[in-house]
Amino acid sequence: MSAPPIISPHTALPLPAAVVIGCLALHQLPALPPGWVLAAVTCCALLLLGALRHSAWPRFVLTALLAACYAAWQAQAALNDRITPALEGRDLLVIGYVDQLPLESTQGVRFGFRVTGCVADVADCPTGLRLRLGWSRSFSRGPASDNDASPALAVAPGERWQLHVRLKRPVALVNPGLFDAELRMLQEGVSAQGYVRKAKLGEPPNMRLEGWHISLQTLFEAGRALGLAALERALDGSRADAAGVLMALSFGDQAAIASGDWDVFNRTGVAHLMSISGLHITMLAAMAGALARRILQRPFVARTGLLHVLPAVWLQWGFALAVAFVYSGLAGWGIPAQRTCWMLAVAGWALVSGRSRSIFRVLSLAAAVVCVLDPWAPLAAGFWLSFAAVGAIVLHASVVRAAPTATTGPGQSQFVSAAYRTVIEAARSQWAATLSLLPLGALFFSTFSLVSPLANAWAVPFVSGLLTPAVLLLSACSLVAPTLASWLAVVIAAPTGWMLDALRVMASWPGSTIVLTQPDLLSLVLAVVSVAMLLSPRPTPARAVWIIGLLPLLVRGPEPVPGNGFRLSAIDVGQGMAVLIEAGGKRLLYDAGPAWDAGADAGGRIIIPWLRSRGISSLDALVISHADIDHSGGAATVLRLAGSERFYSSMPERHRLLAGLNHHEACRRGHTWRWGQVRFEFLHPGPEFPPGAARSPTNAISCVLKVESPSGSALLAGDIEARQELDLVERLGSRLKSDLLLVPHHGSNTSSTARFIQEVSPSIAIFQVGYRNRFRHPTNKVLARYESAGVRALRTDHHGAISVVVGESAAPRVHLGRQQPARYWRVQTDAQVPDLP
């Protein structure tokens, strides 16, 4: 009997795919259409859909249009829930409950908080809105207005609290090509960010209130907290790296995995295995389904008469889905987990009910349901990675099914022959999945692991088939049998550690990962078509020739820079500095952004991913202007992951960052070099003790770098202050003149004197600052000085990452990450922001 067709001519354009296309198209808009436009379009589309229900293409287009209108309504509702600028910076005393498992760090704790009311009669109280709050462990240091963070207390999901909070809109860093946190906050319903502040004299204290908020979400989150605590006790004494992986696999605590281990997982292509991924949920559901099938085959089940009421296959699928949903809930019910659960539910309904025999129709229906439940899903990498991998394996399976089966040779056992076929088919499946993910890896991650097929070949069955079920058993035992759990923890943690050791070895192999520039639309389409032809089950003439279609992904390098100029890119790292200079085919990074917490810094979270998205795998020079943490915090990570042929800084040789480095040079006045037609020169500091250094020693010795080309120049001033500015003006005078100025000390009142601005005379001044930062940078006084001098001020808190190309035309070409391209979910931060109280 022949197997049902996996692919049929009618699967080329399944109608549910229109829902995905409609949602995706809507999210490309810079602004949402007005409500009356959406209402009119929806009514017209419904009428036309009824009249043209028998026409395939019109029906497809109208369905996509209706899906876009639906996504627009959902998006507008989410935007309406954001707080207004009037609430930013105000002190509010709110009442609500913790709705998310707190995320602890060395700095404090972050958690989701749902507001149910305000203590005082506030007209615009954010009742019903979801906040993302931080609570510091100790008193913060800084201006008086922010020196009031209350030491964090233990919070737990479901607890009701009265808290003094100070809020701001859900603004995030914006760097083209990187993860869009503003979109994710909109997707998760976060209306504002903020922190818990200390109660002032005479004010009610921050305190836990009586009672609990009981809901399905808080019950699951409380269960996660209880389970994580029990599992942590069971793993006490185990390897820290192995324990982190086990906690991530059991309850979705990805913060338990060190950043260095995440780098190993990314380099070996197994990062998807170390979180609550669709693969784990699917395999767990499959195991649950197999267990249900065995139980239903028992005689005692037949005697109950249950199978006369419900078919066995329905019970089997129901149990499998229940396990998937419960596991996803206990793992945090993240967006990827939700997507997988709904995919399984739709696939189960379609296959069990016999509504569709085509797996591609099932996949398209699952994708449509996911988009209805989460209209932003098509913007997520996981959405496309999940469906692409499944689709590729299905294509592969249809090819394998048509291929002749291997025969057993003389003297060869049937077991060996079956094992051989299994290995070959597994290798082909791995090849199909790897090939299908190449275009998406270039688009979303800008990297491709060459060792991924080998690493996944053994890591997938080990992690998903053995380790995940084992750690779930360990989690259950840690709650009911702690002694048994402690013994099991030793047994499970040991092979987990061996797996990590093996992955580290593979990650260290030369050329284990290649960096790919984010593809343009034409290269991406060509690569997708080529992959489809390479995996097509139909006979394809000269199939191997389609490999050529992948070459644009592999050979496309970084965007070229004019030979007579340079590109300056101010990366959005929040309150800190990080500027990339590209000139003469080489690259220099000036400062490496801040460090926020142990293992979390701008180098690993922002700079390295941003460099890779541009096809840059290494640096030719790194300059760390001075030792302050907002300039040097990411340097160690940058050196470890990207390296640099030259390393300049003003830090003392005994600084921990310089330990073991043999290519470090002190930046000294007069040191110059050339890259093509571009000249670099350090203007400061000199060998003598800088004037005014007693007030701020590290700021005073900041490396000041001048970049000059035939088409223009730039001055990178670090954190120098007024006394060092005066020294530069007196020594250099008009030599300071530059077209671009990286504003000294982020626009602090201690810098940017009128005389310095006059001598530099820039056309563009770039402020690298964080949104509503506690230092109030840049100050209104400094902004007024630049404005009065006729200088165009660009700010990373208002404009995101800023890129300026000098040399293409008479005037520098500016690209602003927050505005180009514009998206409807972007918070408009360039409006007048009131001073912090």
Side-chain angles (χ1 to χ4, degrees):
M1 182 177 179
S2 61
I6 292 182
I7 301 173
S8 73
H10 306 290
T11 60
L13 199 64
L15 186 61
V19 177
V20 180
I21 294 173
C23 290
L24 186 61
L26 183 279
H27 300 316
Q28 310 309 310
L29 297 180
L32 294 176
W36 66 268
V37 172
L38 293 176
V41 171
T42 301
C43 292
C44 292
L46 287 172
L47 291 174
L48 289 173
L49 191 62
L52 303 173
R53 61 183 180 273
H54 298 301
S55 303
W57 271 106
R59 193 169 52 141
F60 187 91
V61 172
L62 291 170
T63 301
L65 195 59
L66 286 171
C69 292
Y70 168 79
W73 287 113
Q74 295 291 99
Q76 189 59 63
L79 291 176
N80 291 341
D81 281 342
R82 285 176 170 173
I83 66 167
T84 63
L87 270 181
E88 290 189 301
R90 287 175 51 186
D91 292 334
L92 299 174
L93 181 57
V94 299
I95 295 174
Y97 62 92
V98 179
D99 70 348
Q100 183 184 33
L101 183 70
L103 179 62
E104 296 191 13
S105 68
T106 57
Q107 300 297 317
V109 61
R110 296 193 66 81
F111 56 96
F113 189 79
R114 182 74 67 174
V115 178
T116 57
C118 293
V119 173
D121 186 14
V122 181
D124 47 359
C125 175
T127 303
L129 301 187
R130 185 168 188 254
L131 312 179
R132 182 172 289 172
L133 298 177
W135 201 343
S136 175
R137 291 190 184 278
S138 58
F139 296 108
S140 65
R141 299 172 62 184
S145 64
D146 282 277
N147 190 19
D148 56 5
S150 178
L153 303 176
V155 296
E159 290 181 345
R160 297 178 64 248
W161 281 83
Q162 172 182 282
L163 298 173
H164 291 272
V165 299
R166 189 170 293 171
L167 304 177
K168 64 180 180 181
R169 289 177 292 169
V171 175
L173 307 179
V174 178
N175 293 283
L178 299 192
F179 176 76
D180 195 330
E182 282 185 16
L183 174 63
R184 176 55 63 88
M185 285 190 281
L186 184 73
Q187 188 178 18
E188 294 181 347
V190 176
S191 302
Q193 306 174 87
Y195 64 89
V196 179
R197 70 164 183 84
K198 181 182 178 182
K200 299 175 182 177
L201 186 64
E203 290 183 334
N206 295 314
M207 64 179 183
R208 185 182 182 280
L209 303 177
E210 292 184 357
W212 290 71
H213 180 87
I214 305 299
S215 68
L216 186 61
Q217 179 186 6
T218 56
L219 287 175
F220 270 114
E221 291 294 311
R224 288 185 70 203
L226 184 65
L228 273 172
L231 183 59
E232 189 173 5
R233 289 192 297 268
L235 290 169
D236 187 30
S238 302
R239 282 179 51 169
D241 54 355
V245 168
L246 295 177
M247 295 178 72
L249 290 175
S250 56
F251 295 102
D253 186 13
Q254 296 187 25
I257 299 178
S259 59
D261 288 334
W262 279 117
D263 180 56
V264 170
F265 301 151
N266 288 326
R267 291 181 66 85
T268 53
V270 300
H272 64 102
L273 297 177
M274 305 306 164
S275 58
I276 307 301
S277 67
L279 179 62
H280 299 328
I281 297 171
T282 302
M283 293 195 71
L284 188 65
M287 292 179 184
L291 176 63
R293 184 174 63 250
R294 292 184 64 87
I295 293 175
L296 291 172
Q297 291 172 348
R298 298 293 179 182
F300 74 89
V301 175
R303 290 193 294 268
T304 63
L306 179 63
L307 299 180
H308 295 291
V309 180
L310 293 172
V313 68
W314 287 22
L315 295 171
Q316 180 183 337
W317 266 98
F319 182 71
L321 288 175
V323 170
F325 274 85
V326 170
Y327 174 51
S328 299
L330 290 175
W333 196 236
I335 300 298
Q338 295 179 35
R339 186 167 53 242
T340 302
C341 286
W342 296 121
M343 283 174 59
L344 287 173
V346 172
W349 172 81
L351 296 176
V352 170
S353 63
R355 295 297 180 94
S356 177
R357 301 179 70 208
S358 166
I359 191 63
F360 282 108
R361 287 191 178 277
V362 172
L363 287 177
S364 64
L365 181 59
V369 170
V370 169
C371 289
V372 169
L373 296 169
D374 177 13
W376 297 277
L379 296 176
F383 178 87
W384 298 103
L385 293 173
S386 300
F387 285 106
V390 173
I393 292 174
V394 168
L395 282 172
H396 152 77
S398 59
V399 174
V400 171
R401 184 178 292 114
T405 57
T407 58
T408 305
Q412 187 180 25
S413 68
Q414 290 186 354
F415 173 78
V416 172
S417 178
Y420 173 79
R421 288 196 302 271
T422 301
V423 170
I424 293 300
E425 291 184 10
R428 288 175 175 169
S429 293
Q430 186 60 48
W431 155 255
T434 301
L435 188 63
S436 68
L437 298 182
L438 175 58
L440 296 176
L443 177 63
F444 292 111
F445 309 114
S446 302
T447 57
F448 181 67
S449 174
L450 297 178
V451 300
S452 173
L454 179 59
N456 277 278
W458 61 268
V460 166
F462 176 75
V463 174
S464 296
L466 297 176
L467 193 57
T468 300
V471 75
L472 293 178
L473 176 63
L474 172 62
S475 302
C477 290
S478 65
L479 290 170
V480 297
T483 303
L484 176 60
S486 298
W487 177 82
L488 274 177
V490 176
V491 176
I492 297 172
T496 304
W498 301 337
M499 175 196 70
L500 294 174
D501 294 338
L503 290 173
R504 291 190 183 105
V505 171
M506 298 180 72
S508 66
W509 291 349
S512 60
T513 303
I514 58 174
V515 175
L516 303 174
T517 307
Q518 279 197 332
D520 55 25
L521 182 59
L522 180 60
S523 299
L524 184 63
V525 171
L526 179 60
V528 170
V529 171
S530 299
V531 168
M533 297 304 295
L534 287 168
L535 298 178
S536 174
R538 297 187 178 93
T540 304
R543 185 188 298 267
V545 174
W546 285 96
I547 293 179
I548 297 175
L550 301 177
L551 292 181
L553 286 183
L554 304 176
V555 302
R556 184 171 184 261
E559 185 180 350
V561 179
N564 64 340
F566 59 90
R567 179 188 293 112
L568 181 150
S569 300
I571 308 169
D572 188 4
V573 293
Q575 186 65 21
M577 276 190 188
V579 175
L580 182 73
I581 302 291
E582 299 172 84
K586 295 181 180 292
R587 300 160 192 92
L588 176 147
L589 181 67
Y590 182 89
D591 283 341
W596 302 296
D597 200 351
D601 57 63
R605 296 285 179 87
I606 301 171
I607 297 173
I608 292 298
W610 183 82
L611 290 174
R612 289 174 176 170
S613 73
R614 298 176 59 83
I616 300 172
S617 58
S618 62
L619 297 170
D620 297 283
L622 172 65
V623 177
I624 300 299
S625 62
H626 61 297
D628 283 5
I629 198 66
D630 58 328
H631 296 251
S632 65
T637 303
V638 169
L639 286 171
R640 176 169 56 87
L641 297 181
S644 176
E645 292 184 8
R646 303 182 187 182
F647 180 23
Y648 303 98
S649 81
S650 64
M651 295 183 291
E653 292 295 334
R654 64 180 181 277
H655 194 279
R656 58 179 177 79
L657 184 61
L658 307 181
L661 296 179
N662 54 15
H663 62 299
H664 172 259
E665 296 180 51
C667 56
R668 283 291 178 260
R669 182 172 63 232
H671 179 69
T672 66
W673 72 93
R674 279 187 175 275
W675 287 347
Q677 301 182 52
V678 182
R679 181 176 182 268
F680 296 79
E681 180 182 3
F682 285 119
L683 306 182
H684 183 82
E688 72 280 355
F689 194 66
R695 182 183 179 279
S696 183
T698 56
N699 287 351
I701 61 173
S702 291
C703 303
V704 177
L705 181 65
K706 178 77 177 287
V707 183
E708 294 180 282
S709 76
S711 303
S713 57
L715 183 66
L716 313 182
D719 272 2
I720 60 170
E721 298 184 344
R723 188 63 187 86
Q724 294 85 55
E725 291 179 359
L726 178 61
D727 178 62
L728 285 170
V729 168
E730 292 176 344
R731 281 193 300 102
L732 301 174
S734 61
R735 282 190 58 201
L736 289 173
K737 180 171 174 54
S738 302
D739 299 285
L740 311 177
L741 171 65
L742 181 63
V743 173
H745 204 185
H746 315 280
S748 163
N749 275 335
T750 62
S751 305
S752 293
T753 59
R755 189 174 174 189
F756 178 76
I757 296 173
Q758 180 182 358
E759 288 294 342
V760 178
S761 188
S763 59
I764 296 175
I766 298 175
F767 297 82
Q768 284 200 290
V769 291
Y771 182 67
R772 298 191 66 87
N773 64 85
R774 65 190 179 98
F775 304 102
R776 305 183 184 183
H777 294 161
T779 65
N780 290 331
K781 281 185 181 179
V782 169
L783 287 172
R785 286 179 203 150
Y786 283 97
E787 183 179 358
S788 64
V791 181
R792 180 186 180 187
L794 299 178
R795 304 168 48 168
T796 52
D797 61 337
H798 289 178
H799 304 115
I802 300 165
S803 177
V804 184
V805 178
V806 174
E808 284 187 341
S809 57
R813 179 170 60 87
V814 178
H815 181 276
L816 306 177
R818 186 172 284 275
Q819 285 79 22
Q820 299 166 318
R823 290 291 183 262
Y824 71 82
W825 60 82
R826 292 271 178 259
V827 180
Q828 298 303 312
T829 60
D830 54 351
Q832 181 63 38
V833 179
D835 284 336
L836 292 168

